[in-house]
Amino acid sequence: MLEAGAPDITPLGDAALVVRSPLARELLASLTGRPLPGVREAVPALGVLTVLYDPLTVGPEELTAALAWRLSGLEAQSENTGRTLTLPVTFGGPDLAWCAERVGLDVPGLVRALCGLTLEVAFLGFTPGFAFLTGLPEGLRMPRLDTPCERVPAGSVALGGPWAGVYPRETPGGWRIVGHTDAVLFDVARADPVLWRAGDRVRFENVSELDG
Amino acid sequence: MVESPSLTVERPGLLTTVQDAGRRSRALGVPEGGAADPVARRLANALVGNSADAAGLELTLSGPTLRFHADALISLCGAPFEARLDGGPFPLWRAVPIRAGQTLSILGTGRGARAFLAVRGGLDGQEAFGSRSTDLRTGFGGLEGRALRAGDRLFCFVRPHAKPLRAFINPDLQTPTGPNFVLRALPTPEATPDLLAALCGPTLTVSGQADRMGVRLSESVPTPHDPTRISFPNPPGAVQLPPDGRPILLLPDAGTHGGYLTPLVVASVDCPALGQLRPGDRVRFQVVTVREAHGALRARERSLRAVEAALSWWYMRK
């Protein structure tokens, strides 16, 4: 058991530390603003920050202490400083009807429920431009496919476990596809190649009728 | 104005890409990229007086044929590829002067998988997230985000000509090229005693599924199924176990996050060796402590930096 207040920081290999903390996101912001010596990159996931370090510059004990010290001075950011993005979605993915039936709604009902949510970018990862969107209520969570699809088309809007997400490009994928967006999530030619950032709020806008 | 030196690709080889030291944008979901054997990249660059992170060409299993349109100073480091300059012998691990009009033909290698070709001045290429490395999966960086094709033209940055150094690199510094590898590795909190015994006892074989994203091993180890495991950042050198139990060793183009069990992470000192694994090679994992891993890394880094400093001194003096 951890002592009360002792941060949970564990090694992962010989060049990474894993920080598990409700303040993971605040720690990332702090490290981005004021980098610690020897830290190559800090990579977030849900309630986790993986800190990749250069063992030739800093030792794991020294870095653990520095991270613990940094954490002790942080406070939870109650205010979300992210932007709100609206994502135009054409609903009608291959799994839409299956998902609606599972939650006991008709298709328009599920679409209304999804468009009524404010999701949040928890973290980015998997492939450039892919965002793990959190905020699905328990009733709208979908089990992942038993066998992942070899090719999920780019722009697919999908639900998997506690997450919603959009596939930036054609990849294999194991989530339930409920729609499609034309929004360009990743374009290396843009000044800001990735559309969203952790902390941004996302709303789906139903544009299905406009097309039909 | 000085025209940038250039070269034409006459034959692309199996998979030849522009690579440098890679990028640090994992938090945006962008893979690290970069030369899969960074030791070969550093030494090749040092031999021609480049900074360690200059972009060059990474060759895979079978190399390209390149025609040079200007005098150049080049070096080829990595797996023992057979190479010919205008039909004559071309030595690896040396700085070699090239005259305009000459053709370098790089054939195959009997051991290892990759080599790095450095050109004095460094290659130009599309820069994205601070690196010119080619990301094949998403298609950006380097040359249009793709592998070289016949007819492509590559440009280098202009650097004053330099007299090539007549030194050679101590072979002890070279990344091992198999066919038998011992990979030092560190267990993670996901490593159960059973998993460790299954992974670290036997000799395992590299399967035909080996690319810049990862190398799959042929043997299957009994894998506990954990459907609740959530996606988690992948450190470099992670050894993942998908539900079928055939381990995947992650290379520089691997996705930034993964949902598979990760019982081992290859020690930093042995990550360059992952870039030299080829189908049929035999791999054994050897558990080491963090202290041992760092000791080995520091020892190699001392030698590498000594070579880089000596070569840099040669090119700086006048």
Side-chain angles (χ1 to χ4, degrees):
Chain A
M1 284 301 288
L2 288 170
E3 296 169 44
D8 181 0
I9 303 177
T10 50
L12 181 66
D14 71 339
L17 294 173
V18 177
V19 184
R20 284 167 214 276
S21 166
L23 294 169
R25 185 182 291 178
E26 287 81 359
L27 180 61
L28 173 62
S30 165
L31 291 175
T32 307
R34 283 187 302 137
L36 278 173
V39 172
R40 290 181 201 267
E41 284 188 77
V43 195
L46 190 67
V48 163
L49 192 66
T50 298
V51 178
L52 307 183
Y53 67 92
D54 175 8
L56 300 164
T57 307
V58 68
E61 294 88 3
E62 191 189 337
L63 183 56
T64 300
L67 290 168
W69 174 250
R70 188 65 73 87
L71 268 175
S72 70
L74 295 176
E75 278 174 27
Q77 288 250 302
S78 52
E79 202 161 307
N80 183 319
T81 51
R83 307 161 294 178
T84 299
L85 307 173
T86 303
L87 208 64
V89 177
T90 308
F91 286 92
D95 303 314
L96 182 64
W98 186 92
C99 291
E101 193 177 326
R102 184 183 162 86
V103 300
L105 292 169
D106 56 7
V107 165
L110 174 61
V111 169
R112 269 195 304 277
L114 289 172
C115 291
L117 298 171
T118 299
L119 301 168
E120 189 177 319
V121 178
F123 62 96
L124 302 163
F126 172 55
T127 177
F130 190 89
F132 289 80
L133 303 174
T134 187
L136 281 181
E138 196 73 52
L140 291 181
R141 295 181 183 184
M142 295 296 153
R144 296 174 174 89
L145 298 173
D146 288 337
T147 309
C149 287
E150 289 268 328
R151 293 147 69 98
V152 175
S156 293
V157 178
L159 307 175
W163 306 109
V166 186
Y167 290 86
R169 57 180 300 279
E170 186 184 286
T171 48
W175 293 7
R176 312 267 170 180
I177 301 167
V178 295
H180 174 90
T181 181
D182 289 329
V184 179
L185 307 180
F186 183 82
D187 178 0
V188 82
R190 284 195 302 229
D192 214 351
V194 180
L195 178 76
W196 33 33
R197 290 282 179 276
D200 285 347
R201 284 168 299 249
V202 179
R203 295 180 69 95
F204 293 146
E205 181 192 16
N206 180 13
V207 295
S208 311
E209 294 96 334
L210 303 178
D211 294 332
Chain B
M1 194 184 125
V2 189
E3 199 187 338
S4 20
S6 68
L7 45 110
T8 301
V9 179
E10 296 197 335
R11 211 174 41 86
L14 188 63
L15 180 79
T16 308
T17 57
V18 175
Q19 296 294 341
D20 59 15
R23 29 185 80 88
R24 292 180 182 178
S25 300
R26 288 168 184 268
L28 296 178
V30 179
E32 181 171 311
D37 179 352
V39 171
R41 188 247 308 151
R42 283 173 67 176
L43 292 172
N45 274 326
L47 278 167
V48 297
N50 285 347
S51 68
D53 57 358
L57 290 180
E58 180 179 271
L59 336 172
T60 315
L61 295 174
S62 159
T65 298
L66 307 166
R67 191 174 150 83
F68 290 81
H69 301 296
D71 292 355
L73 186 63
I74 68 173
S75 64
L76 182 61
C77 294
F81 280 82
E82 195 186 331
R84 295 269 175 274
L85 184 62
D86 280 350
F90 179 89
L92 272 66
W93 304 100
R94 299 287 290 263
V96 182
I98 304 283
R99 289 187 313 277
Q102 284 194 303
T103 300
L104 175 68
S105 185
I106 307 172
L107 309 169
T109 176
R111 280 186 294 124
R114 292 184 175 88
F116 190 87
L117 179 81
V119 184
R120 181 166 167 81
L123 285 182
D124 200 355
Q126 182 191 43
E127 196 175 325
F129 304 99
S131 159
R132 292 187 165 77
S133 287
T134 310
D135 186 302
L136 290 167
R137 194 170 171 213
T138 302
F140 62 86
L143 190 73
E144 298 169 8
R146 59 169 173 80
L148 298 193
R149 292 182 197 145
D152 281 341
R153 193 152 176 162
L154 294 163
F155 293 89
C156 312
F157 292 102
V158 182
R159 283 284 294 277
H161 286 292
K163 230 169 85 176
L165 169 88
R166 296 169 73 93
F168 66 94
I169 301 281
N170 182 344
D172 289 350
L173 264 181
Q174 302 174 9
T175 303
T177 49
N180 295 300
F181 290 84
V182 175
L183 297 174
R184 287 162 280 191
L186 300 110
T188 75
E190 290 184 313
T192 60
D194 284 354
L195 263 182
L196 270 190
L199 278 171
C200 301
T203 302
L204 304 166
T205 316
V206 176
S207 78
Q209 286 172 280
D211 60 18
R212 284 188 41 88
M213 292 178 61
V215 168
R216 274 208 106 169
L217 303 179
S218 299
E219 294 80 3
S220 172
V221 304
T223 308
H225 185 49
D226 181 8
T228 62
R229 191 190 189 281
I230 61 160
S231 283
F232 195 76
N234 294 324
V239 180
Q240 292 189 329
L241 274 186
D244 73 3
R246 288 171 55 211
I248 304 172
L249 283 57
L250 297 189
L251 264 72
D253 283 358
T256 56
H257 293 67
Y260 295 143
L261 202 66
T262 305
L264 285 178
V265 180
V266 173
S268 306
V269 68
D270 284 337
C271 280
L274 300 181
Q276 295 296 354
L277 294 174
R278 64 190 273 152
D281 282 350
R282 313 280 285 165
V283 169
R284 207 160 51 77
F285 292 111
Q286 181 189 26
V287 171
V288 292
T289 64
V290 170
R291 186 179 292 269
E292 289 165 336
H294 287 171
L297 182 68
R298 269 196 298 273
R300 188 189 56 210
E301 188 65 22
R302 266 196 298 276
S303 315
L304 268 174
R305 285 187 188 172
V307 170
E308 287 175 329
L311 293 174
S312 160
W313 172 82
W314 165 270
Y315 285 108
M316 296 294 279
R317 104 216 133 90
K318 266 262 157 74

